[in-house]
Amino acid sequence: VQLQASGGGLVQPGGSLRLSCAASGSIVTINNMGWYRQAPGKQRELVATITRNGDTNFSDFAKGRFTVSRDNAKNTVSLQMNSLKSEDTALYYCYARGLHRDSLWRSYWGQGTQVTVSS
């Protein structure tokens, strides 16, 4: 199973970016999908997740600025980030919790996409 993320880049403070991630491979169904991030010298932290039913969970820093959405049919998840701040600079990782065809539930991670907020 692979998670391919895209959409990172350099943006000025106050700007917006949209991250997208697609899951592919031997996966039957995905329960939770979402995004985590890791800034230099810090631990990886939750940004936002969304269940198959559309229930969402956001970290406090993301509430009101970020939205998360998914397409169950395409196994994709997106993160719309608005009003970006310099402290949002980090490597953003796509995450999925899914049922593999071997009947085991596993957690999967993408390779990370860099988001840099700077003037």
Side-chain angles (χ1 to χ4, degrees):
V1 176
Q2 292 184 333
L3 299 181
Q4 183 66 46
S6 61
L10 173 65
V11 64
Q12 292 187 342
S16 298
L17 275 179
R18 185 177 181 85
L19 306 182
S20 297
C21 176
S24 62
S26 302
I27 197 160
V28 176
T29 186
I30 298 175
N31 182 16
N32 226 13
M33 294 190 83
W35 299 88
Y36 285 69
R37 72 183 188 183
Q38 188 168 18
K42 294 187 177 181
Q43 291 187 332
R44 189 174 298 188
E45 62 180 350
L46 169 73
V47 178
T49 58
I50 182 169
T51 69
R52 189 170 185 82
N53 294 331
D55 296 325
T56 57
N57 182 37
F58 291 91
S59 284
D60 287 343
F61 64 80
K63 292 177 181 177
R65 298 191 299 130
F66 297 180
T67 57
V68 62
S69 59
R70 65 185 282 178
D71 184 328
N72 291 333
K74 297 181 179 179
N75 283 338
T76 59
V77 62
S78 296
L79 182 70
Q80 177 67 40
M81 303 184 291
N82 300 326
S83 303
L84 283 163
K85 307 174 183 179
S86 59
E87 51 262 45
D88 294 317
T89 295
L91 196 58
Y92 282 70
Y93 293 92
C94 178
Y95 164 83
R97 178 77 176 166
L99 179 64
H100 193 274
R101 289 179 183 172
D102 62 8
S103 301
L104 294 177
W105 286 92
R106 292 189 175 92
S107 294
Y108 301 95
W109 294 92
Q111 81 282 10
T113 184
Q114 179 67 39
V115 172
T116 302
V117 184
S118 175
S119 55

